[in-house]
Amino acid sequence: MQWRRCVTGFAFSLVFVVSYFTNKFVLSVLKFTYPTLFQGWQTFIGAVLLLLSGKLGWVEMSRISRSAALSWLPGSVLFAGNIYAGSRALSRIDIPFFFTLQNSSHVVSYIIFKVVRREKTPRMKLISICLMLLSSINLPLYDPQFDLGGYLWAVCHLFCVGAYRVFQVHYKSTNLSDLEQQCINYLFSLLLLAIAAHPTGDLTGALEFPSLQSHTFHCGCCASALLGFLLLLATVKLKSGLSLEHFGVWIFLAKVTAMTLSPFIFYMDTNAPSLFCVVVSHVGEALLVYSERDSQV
């Protein structure tokens, strides 16, 4: 049983790293910076594959009632904001810096939980939150390739991720499984992104995209959509067989692997202070995972 969990964890880490690298390649190398279309494509393929898998009995999915779908709608709004802003930010920010900023979503979750629950915070968790917050605040000051627009989108992304994490915890009592929640997310985001494609100028801009007919671009888009779906399945599989603490460990290891390999694949202009911010942020994340032995995020 233990070796199966390890295999699932390694599979998750592999898909996680390759998925982020593929998205980064399409967004930054090919410069397809039209998130309503890119994320719309991913959510469309994800929805189709998820519904097809449920229909064929490959995954367990029940019929989703209208009331359940409506109750989950706020979460879908946050999910749509998460993937749109995340796509904008990732296209302009290096992967290690992106993850460092993303870690601050735990600060957002902590503040919301503190307001709602008013529970006493363990000292180690408080230290981890402070480390991640301070790292994110100082990173823009030392980033040699500082991009104001990219950082603003990253802030939007981390707020959506943090609020979505809180929403998931507060709606644990619902009958929706993780896959059913994601199905609603996919369908709602697809609708929202399709509506926004023309007003944002992405539709007309994409028609003038230089690599529109490139096989590399087509393969990148197909791979990103398929990998996104596989990452969903790997995440659900991993969560179902592990405690919250061990699941957090695998996410941490996957992120560290992606950050370590990223400079060998994508160009990065960095310096000692910015790398120090990255290290401190992920030390904070490691402490947070460790602190979750006794309490949930």
Side-chain angles (χ1 to χ4, degrees), residues 116-284:
V116 174
R117 294 180 173 178
R118 300 184 182 278
E119 295 177 351
K120 186 177 180 180
T121 306
R123 182 178 299 178
M124 186 175 294
K125 183 174 181 178
L126 187 59
I127 292 172
S128 70
I129 292 294
C130 290
L131 288 176
M132 289 186 284
L133 178 60
L134 290 174
S135 298
S136 296
I137 291 174
N138 284 281
L139 180 60
L141 303 177
Y142 300 107
D143 184 356
Q145 294 179 300
F146 174 74
D147 184 306
L148 178 60
Y151 274 82
L152 289 177
W153 282 115
V155 171
C156 295
H157 170 68
L158 68 90
F159 268 98
C160 288
V161 172
Y164 184 80
R165 185 182 296 117
V166 174
F167 185 80
Q168 277 187 309
V169 172
H170 274 277
Y171 277 76
K172 273 186 175 179
S173 58
T174 184
N175 293 324
L176 294 173
S177 67
D178 287 344
L179 289 176
E180 290 161 358
Q181 291 171 5
Q182 193 61 30
C183 185
I184 299 171
N185 289 343
Y186 278 151
L187 294 173
F188 178 81
S189 298
L190 175 60
L191 176 62
L192 200 62
L193 292 168
I195 294 173
H198 187 268
T200 57
D202 286 2
L203 189 59
T204 53
L207 294 175
E208 301 174 1
F209 180 60
S211 303
L212 190 60
Q213 303 300 325
S214 167
H215 292 301
T216 303
F217 170 67
H218 297 161
C219 290
C221 287
C222 290
S224 67
L226 181 59
L227 286 166
F229 176 69
L230 293 177
L231 182 59
L232 167 66
L233 297 183
T235 301
V236 171
K237 178 69 175 177
L238 192 63
K239 283 178 68 176
S240 64
L242 295 175
S243 64
L244 181 61
E245 176 196 354
H246 288 97
F247 177 64
V249 169
W250 280 109
I251 292 180
F252 176 76
L253 291 175
K255 290 167 69 174
V256 170
T257 302
M259 290 188 297
T260 304
L261 296 177
S262 178
F264 297 101
I265 299 175
F266 304 103
Y267 171 76
M268 275 188 64
D269 184 8
T270 186
N271 53 32
S274 62
L275 287 179
F276 183 72
C277 290
V278 173
V279 172
V280 170
S281 175
H282 288 84
V283 168

Side-chain angles (χ1 to χ4, degrees), residues 73-89:
L73 202 57
S76 295
V77 173
L78 292 170
F79 176 82
N82 163 17
I83 60 175
Y84 181 86
S87 182
R88 288 281 193 190

Side-chain angles (χ1 to χ4, degrees), residues 21 25-26 32 52 67 71 94 104 108-109 127 133 139-140 154 159 205 234 279 285 291 295:
F21 282 3
F25 175 76
V26 174
F32 188 73
L52 182 61
S67 60
S71 69
D94 294 323
S104 289
V108 176
S109 299
I127 292 172
L133 178 60
L139 180 60
F159 268 98
V279 172
E285 185 183 13
S291 70
S295 61

